[in-house]
Amino acid sequence: MTTPDHPSPRSRSSGPAPSTPGPSPSTPSTPSPPSLTRSPFDSDTFTSATFVTVGHGPVLALAAVWLLTRVGMLALLTADSLGIGGVGHEVQLLYRYWYGLFAEGTFPPSDPAWQYPPGAGLVIMAPGLLTPWLDYTQAFVVLTLVADAAITLGLALADRSRLTHGAWYWVCALPLLLHLPLARYDVMATALAVLALLLFKLRSPAGHRLGGALAGLGAMVKVWPALALIGTPRGRTTREAWTAAAATAATLLVVLALCFSDALGFLRGQGARGIQIESLGGTALGLARAAGLWPGTTEIRFGAYEYVGPYVSTLGHLLLLLAVAAALWLVLWRLRATRWSEATPFDAALAAVLLFTVTSRVISPQYMIWLLGLAAVCLTSRRTVMRPVALLLLPAAALSALAYPVLYAEVVLGTPPGLTVMVLRNGLLLAAAALAAHRLWKATVAPVRE
């Protein structure tokens, strides 16, 4: 009889064995015990408890955990007093202020905090659909939870035969960021990227076009969802997905430019951004300042704390060069890749976003939402090579919440506890990026050893 650890080719293609397998031919009078699913992460890396597959038990368990964790996140947001507090102020003050400007037909004019492509305006305006019944902040949180639930449902359906490593990862990992995800619009952007990738898994022209359209819409909301397209298989899939993405993005841009003034105003502030204290470059400057090697200070610029002082501009240019190098590496990977599996688009998207994250001048804590969502998509496929990367992102997410909001004052001041948290978090992200690039290349480009 085949054991669960070594499934037969038949079981791999048709899903797990029934929960109450029939009696063995050698022992007809002795019923076999109910079979168990694998770990939620289905690898040697992840060894959490198994779940008994009886009826709808796993579905109810996933829904119950989602509900309990999201209630806890809502409770934290309602109090909003953890660490420095004020996590919800971005919605209550900034997003609501922008919403008023959109109602007047304009994007935020000359606002240094507006750093987003014009599609983000749709997300900021969306809570207005519910304001007859809820205030703006309540409506925003409700829509965030809807996007969160859509991600969970999509992940569960993508791997429903095993109910589902990716869905469990997302449901359990997002609360590591505490209540921050409910007060940022990154969950909505992540939903667009996650659903786009899952549609590519359908292997149908309609799915490819719809996935491309969602990726194009996501690119107009937060730019990075365009990287969901980096790993689409060459040929018809790429043509269909990329054409739909370009058409969707161009159409949306034209409509917003015609309906609102200053739709491209966000571009003016991009080149002037400095080194945010939570980026890898910021960590290097913080360590240099603590050692007495650099005399700079921190200052609020573009809605975030940045380092100001000598060599900041030089370091910013260096990070930009590293981002260009990451882009060239991704182009080289796509040209050299010869082996594609169903997981390659997922793995490539996660590797790409990680590379651009670690080379960015800004690494806000909500960036972890993107990475957790893409890691969850990878875990819906047995063919993924990103399981160790997904594992590294879990402590990185917890450390991100420790850095903001819990110890953010320490991070700003550059005290030993603040620097320690940032070194550990950014070290994990750097390791995850390097490992993701290595494993992607090895799985798709490097020759297979006989």
Side-chain angles (χ1 to χ4, degrees), residues 354-370:
L354 270 168
L355 288 172
F356 283 117
T357 296
V358 299
T359 57
S360 175
R361 293 172 292 176
V362 179
I363 304 181
S364 297
Q366 57 264 31
Y367 288 16
M368 293 303 305
I369 300 171
W370 319 345

Side-chain angles (χ1 to χ4, degrees), residues 190-202 207-208 210-216 225 228-229 232 346 377:
T190 301
L192 293 171
V194 166
L195 296 177
L197 286 168
L198 294 177
L199 284 166
F200 296 151
K201 195 175 181 179
L202 297 180
H208 300 158
L210 182 55
L214 290 179
L229 301 168
T232 53
F346 311 158
V377 176

Side-chain angles (χ1 to χ4, degrees), residues 83-84 277 289 305 402-415 418:
I84 65 166
I277 62 174
R289 185 175 69 168
Y305 278 98
L402 190 59
Y404 180 85
V406 179
L407 295 178
Y408 197 59
E410 306 290 332
V411 173
V412 173
L413 294 174
T415 64

